[in-house]
Amino acid sequence: MKTEKIKTKYTLILAAVGLVVFAFLVLSVSMGKEEKKQWKLVFVPKTIDPTNGFWTSLIDGAQLGAKEYGAQLEVMGETTEEDIEGQIANIRACIQKKPDAMLVAPCDYIRTADVLEEVVNEGIKLILLDSVVERDVASCIVATDNYEAGKKLGRYAGSMLKTDQNPKIGIVAHVQGASTAMERERGIRDGLGSKVSAIKDVVFCDSSYDKAYTLTVGLMTRYPDMDLLIGTNEYASVGAARAIKDMKLDGKVRLIGFDSLIEEIQLLEAGVFQGIVIQKPFNIGYLGVEQAVRVLEGSDVEKICLSIPG
């Protein structure tokens, strides 16, 4: 009888120990399954323009990245790329929200540098998308290799020119002072090589379809024997193409440009464009968020330049 009582006592002790161990294991698993921190991100693109395929695609990519990485993403922006002061005001407003990280596509290489330094000084991680500024302030940059893209465009343009006929090229660029515009123009010039003297004028449309249209009409008025036009972004390219089509110069004036709005593809198929450089804006947005999360988690990141096929 006494032996049975001892066995019962030990059984109870073992059961109690088992319960403690089980409870500890349950708690450990529960803690392991605890939700990861939801990082608070803010994205300030150059523009929020529903008519622009590049920026709508880039924002879509960022939103998918935020969903997959469990981050909270807010997008704030102006309606035009030329509103540099509006973007600066938005960035300052975002600083007050105290996000964990900010993703910014700076409108101007010089003028946005100060406010981006303020972002970093506030302890907010900074990821630059699409464009850069004059100072090395970002934890990471995700962008098209704009110089190489411009160089490929320049080489292609050069292959269409006959040097013995004093060829003329007009460049319809997007925003003066934007790093993308500067790098693409530099690449175009280097890609043209010995034919660079064919460039007769460079005009800036401030990323407006209508202004690009008007500037193209002006170029053709000044240079009625223009051989080739180059657009450096979607606004510039589409605006120029619309003007060429309306002036019934398609097939007479060759046109090459950037980006892949559905209208651009249709104009390419119709022969208004002789070539376009297609970027990967969705990838830029997605990778931007991915890199922001990696930075916040303490992982090493590097600058990412997406190459242009061709």
Side-chain angles (χ1 to χ4, degrees), residues 101-134:
M102 284 181 62
L103 297 88
V104 181
C107 288
D108 190 270
Y109 182 69
I110 296 173
R111 290 166 61 187
T112 51
D114 284 344
V115 71
L116 292 178
E117 198 161 302
E118 291 176 26
V119 171
V120 177
N121 289 341
E122 287 295 322
I124 300 168
K125 300 299 183 183
L126 176 63
I127 310 297
L128 295 184
L129 303 186
D130 178 66
S131 301
V132 297
V133 291
E134 62 176 351

Side-chain angles (χ1 to χ4, degrees), residues 23-37:
F24 177 76
L25 290 173
V26 169
L27 182 61
S28 297
V29 171
S30 168
M31 291 176 66
K33 289 186 176 179
E34 185 179 339
E35 289 188 6
K36 295 173 68 175
K37 176 178 173 62

Side-chain angles (χ1 to χ4, degrees), residues 151-206:
K151 197 170 183 179
K152 287 179 180 179
L153 206 58
R155 286 172 178 161
Y156 183 58
S159 71
M160 292 190 287
L161 297 178
K162 296 180 180 178
T163 54
D164 59 341
Q165 295 181 0
N166 189 27
K168 294 179 177 61
I169 296 175
I171 297 178
V172 183
H174 45 292
V175 178
Q176 190 168 22
S179 69
T180 49
M182 292 188 289
E183 287 297 290
R184 289 173 194 176
E185 183 182 340
R186 185 167 69 89
I188 289 167
R189 290 179 180 278
D190 287 353
L192 282 166
S194 62
K195 299 175 183 178
V196 69
S197 60
I199 297 175
K200 301 305 176 187
D201 205 350
V202 180
V203 294
F204 293 88
C205 71
D206 296 323

Side-chain angles (χ1 to χ4, degrees), residues 71-274:
Q72 177 186 341
L73 179 70
E74 180 179 2
V75 182
M76 289 182 63
E78 298 300 316
T79 56
T80 65
E81 288 189 28
E82 65 176 324
D83 190 358
I84 299 167
E85 291 304 320
Q87 185 182 57
I88 291 171
N90 274 326
I91 294 170
R92 287 210 168 97
C94 289
I95 292 174
Q96 300 307 311
K97 295 174 181 286
K98 301 188 182 303
D100 297 300
M102 284 181 62
L103 297 88
V104 181
C107 288
D108 190 270
Y109 182 69
I110 296 173
R111 290 166 61 187
T112 51
D114 284 344
V115 71
L116 292 178
E117 198 161 302
E118 291 176 26
V119 171
V120 177
N121 289 341
E122 287 295 322
I124 300 168
K125 300 299 183 183
L126 176 63
I127 310 297
L128 295 184
L129 303 186
D130 178 66
S131 301
V132 297
V133 291
E134 62 176 351
R135 297 173 208 165
D136 184 14
V137 292
S139 297
C140 179
I141 300 165
V142 182
T144 296
D145 191 330
N146 289 291
Y147 171 76
E148 284 300 323
K151 197 170 183 179
K152 287 179 180 179
L153 206 58
R155 286 172 178 161
Y156 183 58
S159 71
M160 292 190 287
L161 297 178
K162 296 180 180 178
T163 54
D164 59 341
Q165 295 181 0
N166 189 27
K168 294 179 177 61
I169 296 175
I171 297 178
V172 183
H174 45 292
V175 178
Q176 190 168 22
S179 69
T180 49
M182 292 188 289
E183 287 297 290
R184 289 173 194 176
E185 183 182 340
R186 185 167 69 89
I188 289 167
R189 290 179 180 278
D190 287 353
L192 282 166
S194 62
K195 299 175 183 178
V196 69
S197 60
I199 297 175
K200 301 305 176 187
D201 205 350
V202 180
V203 294
F204 293 88
C205 71
D206 296 323
S207 282
S208 161
Y209 297 117
D210 292 340
K211 190 170 181 179
Y213 183 106
T214 301
L215 289 170
T216 300
V217 172
L219 280 172
M220 295 311 305
T221 301
R222 292 194 299 279
Y223 304 96
D225 56 345
M226 184 76 76
D227 295 281
L228 176 70
L229 290 174
I230 301 175
T232 63
N233 79 344
E234 181 179 304
Y235 292 106
S237 302
V238 171
R242 290 172 182 171
I244 291 299
K245 186 178 179 182
D246 287 352
M247 296 173 78
K248 302 190 184 309
L249 292 173
D250 41 313
K252 298 176 184 177
V253 178
R254 284 163 290 185
L255 174 64
I256 54 179
F258 265 83
D259 296 322
S260 53
L261 187 69
I262 292 175
E263 184 180 354
E264 282 183 88
I265 302 301
Q266 293 170 338
L267 289 166
L268 178 67
E269 292 173 346
V272 179
F273 279 106
Q274 278 64 58

